[in-house]
Amino acid sequence: MAAPAQPKKIVAPTVSQINAEFVTQLACKYWAPHIKKKSPFDIKVIEEIYEKEIVKSRFAIRKIMLLEFSQYLENYLWMNYSPEVSSKAYLMSICCMVNEKFRENVPAWETFKKKPDHFPFFFKCILKAALAETDGEFSLHEQTVLLLFLDHCFNSLEVDLIRSQVQQLISLPMWMGLQPARLELELKKTPKLRKFWNLIKKNDEKMDPEAREQAYQERRFLSQLIQKFISVLKSIPLSEPVTMDKVHYCERFIELMIDLEALLPTRRWFNTILDDSHLLVHCYLSSLVHREGDGHLFSQLLEMLKFYTGFEINDQTGNALTENEMTTIHYDRITSLQRAAFAHFPELYDFALSNVAEVDARDSLVKFFGPLSSNTLHQVASYLCLLPTLPKNEDTTFEKEFLLELLVSRHERRISQIQQLNQMPLYPTEKIIWDENIVPTEYYSGEGCLALPKLNLQFLTLHDYLLRNFNLFRLESTYEIRQDIEDSVSRMKPWQSEYGGVVFGGWARMAQPIVAFTVVEVAKPNIGENWPTRVRADVTINLNVRDHIKDEWEGLRKHDVCFLITVRPTKPYGTKFDRRRPFIEQVGLVYVRGCEIQGMLDDKGRVIEDGPEPRPNLRGESRTFRVFLDPNQYQQDMTNTIQNGAEDVYDTFNVIMRRKPKENNFKAVLETIRNLMNTDCVVPDWLHDIILGYGDPSSAHYSKMPNQIATLDFNDTFLSIEHLKASFPGHNVKVTVNDPALQTPPFRITFPVRSGKGKKRKDADGEEEDTEEAKTLIVEPHVIPNRGPYPYNQPKRNTIQFTHTQIEAIRAGMQPGLTMVVGPPGTGKTDVAVQIISNIYHNFPEQRTLIVTHSNQALNQLFEKIMALDIDERHLLRLGHGEEELETEKDFSRYGRVNYVLARRIELLEEVKRLQKSLGVPGDASYTCETAGYFFLYQVMSRWEEYISRVKNTGSTSPDAAEVATFFPFHEYFANAPQPIFKGRSYEEDMEIAEGCFRHIKKIFTQLEEFRASELLRSGLDRSKYLLVKEAKIIAMTCTHAALKRHDLVKLGFKYDNILMEEAAQILEIETFIPLLLQNPQDGFSRLKRWIMIGDHHQLPPVIKNMAFQKYSNMEQSLFTRFVRVGVPTVDLDAQGRARASLCNLYNWRYKNLGNLPHVQLLPEFSTANAGLLYDFQLINVEDFQGVGESEPNPYFYQNLGEAEYVVALFMYMCLLGYPADKISILTTYNGQKHLIRDIINRRCGNNPLIGRPNKVTTVDRFQGQQNDYILLSLVRTRAVGHLRDVRRLVVAMSRARLGLYIFARVSLFQNCFELTPAFSQLTARPLHLHIIPTEPFPTSRKNGERPPHEVQVIKNMPQMANFVYNMYMHLIQTTHHYHQTFLQLPPAMVEEGEEVQNQETEMEAEEETTAAQANLIPSPTEASLSQETPASQPECSSQTETASSEMEDVSALCDTAPASEPGSAAAEEDAATVPAETK
C-alpha cells in the first residue's frame, strides 16, 4: 500500500512579517481599524492587491489569511461595494475573504447583514461569473473559488439575506431546465404541482421581458452549471498530464452537488434536475475516475453523491421510505422498462417476459441491452423520458457506452442502506486508517475538500441523521486509533532480521509481539445473512515485562477492544525512526484488524470469567486471550482470499495493541448507533421535525404544547410572596387568601392556559380583554403537612432567591415540551437544574427523571446540590464510574444504593421493634418487611383509627385540645423526640402534630413495603436492577455511559418520563440524541414528556481532536447549538453572580443583556481591590525573550518561554504578598505551554513552603465549568492568533476569574483581531505593563478603583519581574531570619534541629540564587563558578554550589535553550520514545 504524502503545514506569518508585508502597509493607509486618518477609497488598491498578492501567489492561503485578518472585508471591500465599482477583482476578493472566514471557522455573514443593500446585485454577478467560459475572463481556479463561495451560501440557509437569494435558484420554477417529456411525467406523479406550475406560467406572462429573462437565467443556473461541469470533466484525458485546477474544480463541484442533495429544501426540486442531467453516468464513464492518483478523491466524492441521489426519501413529502416502498419503486422502474420493450422493441421480448429477479442484476441487464444499437438504446431511453425523442432518420449523438450505462445503472437492483450498514465492519482497517481523504492528518489546512459527511442544520431523515453521525464518530475514533498505532509500533522498533523475519528492537507498554494466533471458531450465519454469527480466535503473548504492566495486560476485561497488526519491516536492524516521514513504509505495516476480548484462558484452556471470585494465579509468562473478531470483516477477508487468491490475513499477525480504557469505547457507541438504525427508533412526535431541523422551531415550546399544565406547585422555589411577585413582572398576581400572615410559601400557581384556536379568535375580537386575562396568575399558598416531631423530619428548603428569568426557566422545565436554557458563566445554571428536578419530583411523584451531563464532575456538582434539597435519597441513583469522586460519605452507585437499602431496612425494622415494644404487643413483628406490614395493618392502624374516632371534631361540641394529647396512643414511642410534643395551644395545631407523628410512623412502613423486594431478590445484581427499573426516581449518568449501556438498559425495561441535560452545548450531537432512546416505546409511542437542555453555546463546543472533522464536517456542533441556530426558543439567564462587574464586562457583550446580581456590587470581597496589584484585570505585553517568541516542537504543541516565566513570576509575587496559592489558577491556550509552566513551577517554587503550587495549571478548554478567585492567563502565540480566534474560547478564558484576571500576550497580534475586538479594546485601554504595589500586603482594605497610598511600581518586562521577585523573596527570608534570631532564642536541646532548619533555608537561598542567575536576571554569588559550557564541573566549588549547579543543569532547558527540548515538551516526549514508557 502506497503511503500517502504528508500534507504541508501552513505556517502562519509572524508579527514582524505581517508588519513588513505590502498588504499591511496598504491596510495602515486605507482600512486598519486603529488608524485615525485613512486615505479615501480607491478601486485601484483592490485591483492591485488582487493581481499582485492573490493571483500572483496562486491564491496562497498565507496571503489571504493576512488580508482577512487585517479586516479587509469589513473595513474596505464590503463597506465600499456598489454596482458602479463592481469588477472581477472586486468580486473575487470578496469571495476569497468569505471563504477564508469559513476556513477559519469565524462568522462570515455579519458584515453583509449590516449593509445588505447591494447583496442581490453582488450575488447575481457571482452567478454570471460562475457560468463564464473557462478560457475567458475567469480562470478555472477562480471559478473553483466561486463554487466554494456558492457552497457556503447553500449551507447558510438560516441567514435570511442568503436564503432570499438562494430561493430564486432552487424552487419549483427551476424545473424549466427539464426536458418537456420528463417535466410532464413529474407533474403527473404529483398532481398538486401542476396547479402551482400553471400559476407560475401565468405570473411569468405578466412580467416585463427583461425581468422574465433575468428570472429564467436564475432558474436555469444550476442546469447550466451542470452542463459546464460536464464539458470540463470531458476535457480531462485518461493518461496525459492534466492541470490540477481541473481536478480541483471537479471535486468542488461534486461537493456542491452532495450538499444540495443532502438538504431537503434544495433537494426537493434539485434532485429531479440532477437525475435528468445524468450527471452520475457522465462521471462514472469519465477518464478522471480511472486516473490512479488524481481521481481517488473524486471517486470517493462520487460514491457519496450516488448514495444521496438514491437516498430512501420521498423528495416531495420528506417522508422516509421503508424497504417495501423502495422495492416497489424498483419494481415499477423495471416493469415500465419491460412494458416499453414489449410494446416497441421485438428484439427485447425475452427481456420483457422474464421475471424481475431474473433481469434486475447488472450482468443480465448488460446481456439483454448490450447487443442493441446506439439508436435503439436512445429510443428505449426516450420512451422512459430519460432523453429527448430521436428524430426520424437521424443517428443519436450519444455514445453507446453512455446509453447502456444510463439504462443499466437506473434499473439495476440496489442493496438497501440498512443492509449495507449491517454488512460494514465496525473496526477500521489499514485502508481507512491511513487514507488522507477520509482521515486527514493533524495538519489539515482546510484548503481542499474531503470525502466526509457534514453536520449542518438539517438532515433528510432520522436514518440520514444517524448515518452521518455514525460515519463521523467512526472516523474520529479511527484518527485516535491511528495515533495510538503509530506511537506503539514505532516504540517497538520493528526491523528486518538477517534471515528476513521480524525482530523488535524496542518495546511498548501498550503493545506486545504475538507468539501464536489461531482462529478457533467460525459459527454458522443466521438465516438470510452471509456472514458468520461469531468468529473467535486465541492470541498468545509472552508477558516478560514489569509486574504492573503485566497486571495491566492480565486486567484486560470482557469487551475491551484490541488491535491485531501485521508488520513486515524492510529496514535493517538499527535504523532510526523519523516521525516526520510517512509511518507505514518505515515500519512495513501491512494489515490492521480489530478484535474484542472475551477473556484470558486458564491452565485448562477455559475463559476466566469476570466476577467477584479472585482470579487464579497462572504460572509462567505465557498468556492466551480468547478474542472475538469482526464477522463482517472476516467474511470479506475470506472472500478476497478465495476469489482473488490473496493471502490469508489471519495467518500473518505479529503484534497485538491495547488502548486506554477511557478512550476505547468507540465500538460500543457505534454498535449502539447501528442498533438504533435497525430498530424503529421512536422519537416523540413533538420532537421529530425539530431534530431534523424542519417545521416551526418553537412547536415544542410549552406554550404550544396541547398538554400544557395549568396549576403547578412551585414547592420551595419562592422565598416569599414578594419574591413571587418580582418573579413575574408584568403579571397581575391574585392571592387566594387576603391575610398577609398566611401568604407564605410554598405556593401553587394557576396560569392562564388556552388552546391555539381560541387565541386566534380572541385576537380578532378584542385584544385588551385577552391580554388582561393572559397576565393574571392565581396564587394559592398551602401548608406542607407535618412530617413528624423529630428535627430531621423538617423538609430541607431552597435558600436561593431566583431571578425572574431563572423562574421562567424553572416554569418551562416543569411544563411538558422542550426547554432550552442558555446559561452564561456564573448565572446559576446548576441551581436552576436542581430546582427543576426537585419540582418535577414533588409535582409528579410517579414520573422518573433521567439526568445526563458531559462530565462526571458536573454530575457530582448536581448531586451534591440535589442532596441539599427535599428529595428522599432512596430515590437517587447514579450510574457509571464517576461516583467514586462524589465528595460525600454517601454512595449513590448501584451497589451503594443496594447497601443503603439493606442498611436502611435494618434501621427501620429496629424502629418497628421499638414501636412494638412501646405498644406492648408480643411476638416478633420486626423479623421481615412482610411481618412488619401485618403489624402495621392489625396493630398500628387499628389504634390510630380508634384514636381518630375519639378525638375528631363532631361539630356538636367544641373539641378539647387536651384530649388530643391524652388519648394519643404513641406517647412512649415518641419519648425520644423533643418534648413536649403537643403544645396545648389549640386543637387544630395539636391535631396536625398528631397526624404528623402518624405520617412519620406510616412512612416507616411504606419504605419497608418498598424494600420488601430486596428480601425476595437474593443477588446484588438483581437487587440493583430492581432499584434501577422500579425504585429510583432520579437516575443520573454521563452521556458516554448512556451511549455505551443503551442495549443493557433497554433490555432491562428501563423507563423514564423526563430528561434533563446539563452542559448540553459540550455534548456531541449523537451523544445528546442517544439518551432520548434508552427505553422501548409504549404502543409505538415514546413516553418522554419533557426534555430540558441547559448549556451555553457561547462557550466551548465538544472536543474533536481532528481538525478536519472539527472544521470541514462541523462535528464540533452540539445539538444544543444547532437548535439555537435553527431558532428554537431559549430562556437566557441574565444575571451573573460569579465575577466583579468589571471582569464581567470582558465577556458580557457576547450575551443578550447579561447583568450582575446585587451581591456582586455589595459584598466586600467584590468591592475590595486586589492587594499588591493596581488593577483588577490587566493585559500585559510580553516581547520575545532571548530572541524567541512562540515555538512549536510538535504539531500544535506551542510554547512561549517568556510568557511562562512571567506568569510564574507573578504567581510567586502574589504568594509572597500573602495570597493563598489555592486561590490562584494558571491557564493557557495550549498543552505545550501548560507542560512548560508546570516544569517551571516545579523548578522555581513547587516544593517551597513559602510559595507552594497554584490550584491548577491547565488549559482554558479543560478549565471550562470551573472557576477561581485569581486567574493568570498565557495566550502563548506570537505569530498568528490561532484557535483563540474562536470567540467561544475567549469567552471561557475571560469568565473563569472571580476577582482578578491577568493576561500575558503579544498585544500587537491580538489587538488586530476583529473577532476579539470587544474584549481587547477594554483590555488595551489600560496600561500594557504590569503595575504592582509591592508594599501592600494581602488582604488590603483599599477599595477597588481607588488610588493606593503606597508607591506603584511599573514592570517593563519579564526579566525585571523575575529579578524583583527574587529580591523580594531574599528580603523575606532575611527578615524571617532576623525575627527568628531576635524573638525565638532556641533552647539548647533544639540547637541541632535549629541548625538543620537553617541549613535548609540556606540551601533554599542557594537554589533561588542559582535559579535567578540561570535566567540571566540578576548577578549571583555562584555565577562566577558556573560557566555555561561546563556546568557543575569545577572541583573547587563548595557543596552547596555543586548542588545548585547540578540543579542548574536540570533547569538549563528552560532559559538557555529554545523551549523545544524542555522537559515535558513534545520534543522531550519524542526523545523519550526511545526509552521505555515508564521511565519517562
Side-chain angles (χ1 to χ4, degrees), residues 951-1152:
V951 300
K952 74 174 176 193
N953 187 353
T954 52
S956 56
T957 57
S958 58
D960 184 4
E963 285 181 359
V964 176
T966 311
F967 297 128
F968 187 64
F970 306 117
H971 271 299
E972 195 178 330
Y973 175 72
F974 286 110
N976 59 355
Q979 300 294 333
I981 292 175
F982 297 102
K983 307 288 183 287
R985 289 193 288 258
S986 74
Y987 170 82
E988 286 77 12
E989 185 186 4
D990 281 5
M991 200 60 214
E992 178 59 22
I993 291 170
E995 283 177 348
C997 290
F998 182 67
R999 283 187 196 103
H1000 174 82
I1001 292 173
K1002 191 176 177 185
K1003 188 179 177 185
I1004 293 173
F1005 292 97
T1006 312
Q1007 286 188 41
L1008 283 171
E1009 186 56 36
E1010 286 180 14
F1011 295 162
R1012 195 170 154 188
S1014 64
E1015 290 182 346
L1016 304 172
L1017 301 167
R1018 303 311 298 168
S1019 80
L1021 185 64
D1022 290 342
R1023 285 168 174 168
S1024 74
K1025 286 177 180 174
Y1026 176 81
L1027 273 181
L1028 171 63
V1029 177
K1030 289 274 188 281
E1031 179 77 2
K1033 295 277 186 277
I1034 295 168
I1035 302 102
M1037 63 183 84
T1038 63
C1039 54
T1040 312
H1041 185 84
L1044 293 180
K1045 299 290 181 188
R1046 179 189 177 268
H1047 178 71
D1048 301 348
L1049 291 168
V1050 171
K1051 202 169 154 192
L1052 276 176
F1054 180 52
K1055 295 269 184 285
Y1056 53 94
D1057 306 86
N1058 315 302
I1059 295 183
L1060 181 135
M1061 287 186 181
E1062 251 269 44
E1063 305 180 309
Q1066 277 176 270
I1067 306 180
L1068 280 177
E1069 173 104 34
I1070 189 66
E1071 290 186 336
T1072 317
F1073 180 72
I1074 289 172
L1076 297 180
L1077 302 167
L1078 297 182
Q1079 58 186 348
N1080 278 322
Q1082 289 179 322
D1083 310 323
F1085 294 98
S1086 168
R1087 63 181 272 168
L1088 193 68
K1089 301 170 182 65
R1090 293 172 188 76
W1091 186 14
I1092 301 131
M1093 285 203 279
I1094 302 179
D1096 182 4
H1097 57 291
H1098 293 308
Q1099 291 186 56
L1100 283 163
V1103 176
I1104 302 295
K1105 290 186 180 173
N1106 188 305
M1107 298 295 278
F1109 304 138
Q1110 185 187 322
K1111 298 251 172 83
Y1112 182 85
S1113 296
N1114 201 18
M1115 194 180 171
E1116 66 171 13
Q1117 175 176 269
S1118 61
L1119 191 87
F1120 185 90
T1121 308
R1122 182 162 70 87
F1123 277 3
V1124 172
R1125 280 182 67 199
V1126 167
V1128 174
T1130 57
V1131 179
D1132 294 59
L1133 303 183
D1134 56 5
Q1136 69 88 28
R1138 174 189 292 171
R1140 293 185 195 273
S1142 55
L1143 292 179
C1144 178
N1145 290 339
L1146 293 173
Y1147 56 88
N1148 65 8
W1149 49 273
R1150 197 76 188 90
Y1151 297 94
K1152 293 181 195 162

Side-chain angles (χ1 to χ4, degrees), residues 507 509 543-555 620-621 623 658 1478:
W507 71 287
R509 182 178 189 156
L543 289 178
N544 184 12
V545 288
R546 294 179 191 168
D547 287 346
H548 69 280
I549 299 176
K550 190 175 182 178
D551 292 344
E552 285 174 9
W553 278 97
E554 290 183 346
E621 308 291 352
R623 298 287 180 269
R658 63 190 172 94
E1478 290 51 68

Side-chain angles (χ1 to χ4, degrees), residues 576-732:
K576 193 161 169 43
F577 285 90
D578 183 357
R579 291 209 169 194
R580 284 179 286 273
R581 289 197 28 246
F583 165 77
I584 289 181
E585 62 190 42
Q586 288 192 78
V587 298
L589 187 136
V590 189
Y591 303 117
V592 176
R593 296 288 181 271
C595 66
E596 186 178 314
I597 299 281
Q598 184 187 355
M600 195 164 65
L601 302 186
D602 61 16
D603 298 337
K604 293 175 183 152
R606 290 175 307 200
V607 173
I608 302 168
E609 293 293 340
D610 285 339
E613 299 81 36
R615 294 187 147 219
N617 277 331
L618 301 179
R619 290 194 300 271
E621 308 291 352
S622 182
R623 298 287 180 269
T624 302
F625 292 94
R626 176 83 29 97
V627 298
F628 292 109
L629 301 174
D630 189 317
N632 290 333
Q633 186 67 54
Y634 186 79
Q635 194 260 339
Q636 285 179 16
D637 288 333
M638 287 299 117
T639 309
N640 190 27
T641 303
I642 294 159
Q643 290 180 357
N644 306 332
E647 73 172 325
D648 184 352
V649 175
Y650 298 89
D651 287 344
T652 65
F653 298 130
N654 51 13
V655 175
I656 181 169
M657 184 194 85
R658 63 190 172 94
R659 299 179 70 219
K660 290 177 187 163
K662 264 193 172 176
E663 297 161 6
N664 207 17
N665 51 30
F666 73 97
K667 180 176 181 274
V669 177
L670 292 176
E671 272 182 333
T672 296
I673 303 174
R674 188 155 77 177
N675 290 343
L676 278 176
M677 291 164 83
N678 277 294
T679 52
D680 287 332
C681 56
V682 179
V683 174
D685 292 343
W686 48 273
L687 266 181
H688 186 275
D689 285 359
I690 291 182
I691 284 177
L692 293 180
Y694 300 114
D696 175 10
S698 63
S699 61
H701 188 257
Y702 72 85
S703 60
K704 296 195 177 178
M705 293 290 282
N707 55 344
Q708 198 184 145
I709 299 162
T711 303
L712 289 169
D713 180 358
F714 275 82
N715 201 25
D716 56 355
T717 309
F718 300 105
L719 305 184
S720 63
I721 191 72
E722 288 72 29
H723 181 200
L724 187 148
K725 287 174 178 171
S727 300
F728 294 103
H731 284 75
N732 180 16

Side-chain angles (χ1 to χ4, degrees), residues 827-897:
T827 50
K829 293 189 282 287
T830 311
D831 294 321
V832 168
V834 168
Q835 195 61 41
I836 291 173
I837 293 163
S838 170
N839 288 2
I840 291 175
Y841 172 82
H842 288 287
N843 274 272
F844 313 102
E846 75 293 344
Q847 291 186 14
R848 314 179 74 219
T849 303
L850 176 67
I851 304 174
V852 180
T853 66
H854 170 248
S855 64
N856 278 311
Q857 183 194 359
L859 211 44
N860 294 340
Q861 283 175 356
L862 263 174
F863 250 68
E864 279 151 27
K865 290 196 173 180
I866 287 173
M867 287 164 58
L869 288 181
D870 181 26
I871 292 177
D872 192 327
E873 67 172 88
R874 74 179 193 275
H875 291 141
L876 296 172
L877 177 64
R878 167 98 158 69
L879 300 181
H881 287 296
E883 66 273 355
E884 300 96 27
E885 302 155 20
L886 259 173
E887 291 173 17
T888 61
E889 310 78 67
K890 295 172 182 171
D891 181 357
F892 287 97
S893 68
R894 277 194 196 193
Y895 291 109
R897 293 292 85 194

